Amino acid sequence: TQSGDKTSVVTSAGGDVVTHDNGERYMVLREGARYDFAAQAGDFDFMHFDAYGIRLEPGFYLPPDPRLQARDLRLLVADPSPAARGELLWRLGLPLSALVLGLLAIPLSFVKPRAGKSLNQFFALIIYFLYSNLLSIAQVWVARGKLDFWVAFAIPPLLGLAVFVLMMWHRNRMAQATSLRMWLVRLARPNRSA
C-alpha cells in the first residue's frame, strides 16, 4: 500500500478472512513480514509477525478461495458451506457424467447402413455440451445456495438416463419396424425354390 510518501509491503505464508460477531471482517495473515519505506526521508522499517490483522472495508470483494478446489474430499464432505457443497457436486458429478455419457453412446452408435455417420457424432457433441453445462449450472446454484445438493446431484444424470431410455426405445422401435418390413417383403415374394 501507499500513503503519502510511505510505501508498505506485507508478505505472509498464509492467511484467512475472519468475521467477528459484530460483522466486521478482518484478513488475518500468518508468519510474515511488513516492510515500510519512506522515499523522501530514506527511512526503512522491518517488522516480523506471527499474526497480523487488517480490517476489511464493508464493500471489499474477496475472490473465491482457490484452495477449495485443492481440498481433500473428506474435508469437502465434512464442510456444510454452500461453496464446499458446489465443489463436492462437481467432483462427484464428473465420474457420474462419464457413466451416463457412456450409456448414451450405445444408441448413438447405431447407424443405418445407407445413412451418414456424422449426424450421430454431431448429436453426441451437442449432448456432451448440454450435459456439461447443466452440471456447471447445478454446481453454481448449489454454491450460491439456490438449489439443494441432492436435487442438483440427481437432475443431470436422471435427465441423461431419460434421454438414454428414449433413444433406446426409438432405436428398438425402428429395428422392429425394419424387421417386420423385411418379413412382409419375404412373404409377398413368390417362392423361387420350386
Side-chain angles (χ1 to χ4, degrees):
T1 61
Q2 193 165 7
S3 67
D5 69 333
K6 187 176 182 181
T7 303
S8 298
V9 177
V10 179
T11 62
S12 72
D16 294 305
V17 175
V18 177
T19 304
H20 289 266
D21 293 335
N22 62 3
E24 289 184 343
R25 296 184 317 157
Y26 288 86
M27 181 179 296
V28 180
L29 304 175
R30 296 182 314 271
E31 300 176 18
R34 177 177 172 166
Y35 305 94
D36 294 324
F37 179 70
Q40 291 181 344
D43 291 337
F44 179 77
D45 292 324
F46 169 77
M47 176 183 74
H48 177 76
F49 59 84
D50 292 327
Y52 181 73
I54 302 170
R55 183 175 174 271
L56 301 175
E57 297 299 321
F60 186 76
Y61 170 75
L62 284 175
D65 187 2
R67 293 181 296 170
L68 191 64
Q69 296 170 350
R71 226 183 252 180
D72 187 44
L73 185 63
R74 287 173 283 163
L75 295 174
L76 281 177
V77 171
D79 189 354
S81 70
R85 290 288 161 199
E87 179 64 25
L88 183 63
L89 176 71
W90 181 255
R91 287 194 195 178
L92 295 177
L94 281 179
L96 192 59
S97 70
L99 177 68
V100 172
L101 293 172
L103 283 174
L104 285 170
I106 295 169
L108 285 171
S109 66
F110 175 72
V111 178
K112 292 181 184 177
R114 293 188 179 121
K117 297 177 185 178
S118 61
L119 188 61
N120 282 354
Q121 292 174 353
F122 176 74
F123 284 139
L125 192 62
I126 295 296
I127 288 171
Y128 167 75
F129 282 130
L130 289 174
Y131 192 92
S132 178
N133 284 335
L134 183 62
L135 188 61
S136 296
I137 289 169
Q139 177 199 10
V140 169
W141 283 355
V142 167
R144 291 184 181 170
K146 293 182 178 182
L147 190 62
D148 181 59
F149 173 81
W150 292 108
V151 173
F153 183 72
I155 287 174
L158 288 179
L159 284 175
L161 289 175
V163 170
F164 169 73
V165 168
L166 184 67
M167 291 174 76
M168 287 300 287
W169 173 77
H170 178 71
R171 175 186 169 197
N172 289 337
R173 193 185 70 163
M174 295 298 290
Q176 287 173 354
T178 302
S179 62
L180 178 64
R181 221 176 295 131
M182 288 173 48
W183 184 73
L184 289 173
V185 167
R186 280 192 217 144
L187 281 177
R189 288 184 187 162
N191 191 355
R192 295 182 187 187
S193 62

